[in-house]
Amino acid sequence: MFNKLSARKPLNRKSILALLLMLLPCHAVVADTLLVWMAEEQAGVRDVAPAAHPLASELRRQVASPVSVLSPLMDLTDQQAITADRLWQGDAQAVLAASARYAPDYIVLARIDAQGAEPFTEWLIWHQGDRQSLSTQGDWPVQAERLLAFVSELSDRVAAEPDQLTAPLALAPVMAPSGYLLTLYRLDQPADFLDAMAQLRELFGSQSIRPVSFNAGTLRVSIDYEGAVSGLRGELQRHPRFNALPDGQLEFFWN
């Protein structure tokens, strides 16, 4: 018996590591992402704050793993959708639409007044369709710490709520949007949302177009159109970027 046991090969480092990993509990790690837009007013001038702003740097330094803080690329796509004035006004439609390409868990907007002795920041935080607000003042590390603590508390509150899949769902009456409802699929590229909205506004006028929802590459838009639905469908079919589905409804693929 001793000879048989001694004849076995000793375990190498990889085998030992594999055995240890098998003994460890397996937990899925979900990393939340915070997309942070910033506008700053200084000496009477408002501008979009860069990713290297000290407040953004403090957020990245203080955030605890696995949460990550992202700054917008501010490439041509972002510049077409976002301006300092839109950020300062808290334009939810513009901010949420521009954020869709990043697919963050939290969308954070910081409006920084750096004109006083101590910087003052008004925050807007969107998460799962809800909007929260927060005001902070003081040194950048203090403000970053307060914002991250607020987001952590918000996350804990959401986690403590009953499971939406099993909890009773109370539906309030919802007014349907006026006009015809157009559904547009395959808006998969970052600039597709803006391009599609621009084409629709050019066709029917800015006042006639109201976005209803945009999720996972699917855009739903309410269109005020005086004619029949067949006329609206015909106008869209003649446009090279709209490819109609063969069911006669107002559903199109984006080319």
Side-chain angles (χ1 to χ4, degrees), residues 10 55 58 64 66 73 77 81 86 120 130 132 141 149 166 169 171 176 203 207 218 227 247-248 252:
L55 182 52
E58 274 298 326
L73 297 174
T77 299
R86 284 181 174 176
F120 175 81
D130 293 329
Q132 305 289 333
T166 58
L169 182 62
L171 294 177
L203 280 173
Q207 301 300 320
T218 298
D247 58 2
F252 290 77

Side-chain angles (χ1 to χ4, degrees), residues 141-165:
V142 173
Q143 295 201 49
E145 182 180 6
R146 285 201 58 196
L147 183 276
L148 292 174
F150 183 85
V151 171
S152 178
E153 292 173 4
L154 177 61
S155 178
D156 291 342
R157 289 202 303 268
V158 172
E161 292 176 355
D163 190 344
Q164 295 182 359
L165 295 177

Side-chain angles (χ1 to χ4, degrees), residues 36-134:
V36 182
W37 301 88
M38 290 185 172
E40 184 176 44
E41 183 173 16
Q42 195 165 18
V45 178
R46 294 173 182 170
D47 202 356
V48 178
H53 190 280
L55 182 52
S57 299
E58 274 298 326
L59 288 171
R60 288 191 293 269
R61 186 183 70 83
Q62 293 189 29
V63 72
S65 178
V67 180
S68 59
V69 173
L70 306 178
S71 294
L73 297 174
M74 289 314 299
D75 54 6
L76 182 59
T77 299
D78 285 341
Q79 292 175 34
Q80 289 176 336
I82 290 296
T83 63
D85 286 338
R86 284 181 174 176
L87 292 179
W88 201 263
Q89 294 164 6
D91 188 335
Q93 180 176 328
V95 172
L96 296 180
S99 302
R101 63 188 293 213
Y102 299 97
D105 298 288
Y106 294 84
I107 300 171
V108 179
L109 169 57
R111 294 173 291 182
I112 307 166
D113 184 350
Q115 301 183 100
E118 289 188 327
F120 175 81
T121 306
E122 291 182 340
W123 304 85
L124 295 177
I125 303 102
W126 288 270
H127 179 57
Q128 295 185 356
D130 293 329
R131 192 188 79 168
Q132 305 289 333
S133 60
L134 174 71

Side-chain angles (χ1 to χ4, degrees), residues 6 43-44 52 55 79 84 89 91 109 116 119 135 137 161 163 166 172 177 187 194 204 221 230 237-239 249:
S6 61
L55 182 52
Q79 292 175 34
Q89 294 164 6
D91 188 335
L109 169 57
S135 298
Q137 188 170 17
E161 292 176 355
D163 190 344
T166 58
L187 281 78
L194 297 175
F204 305 108
V221 177
S230 58
Q237 282 181 307
R238 288 190 289 272
H239 195 285
Q249 302 297 319

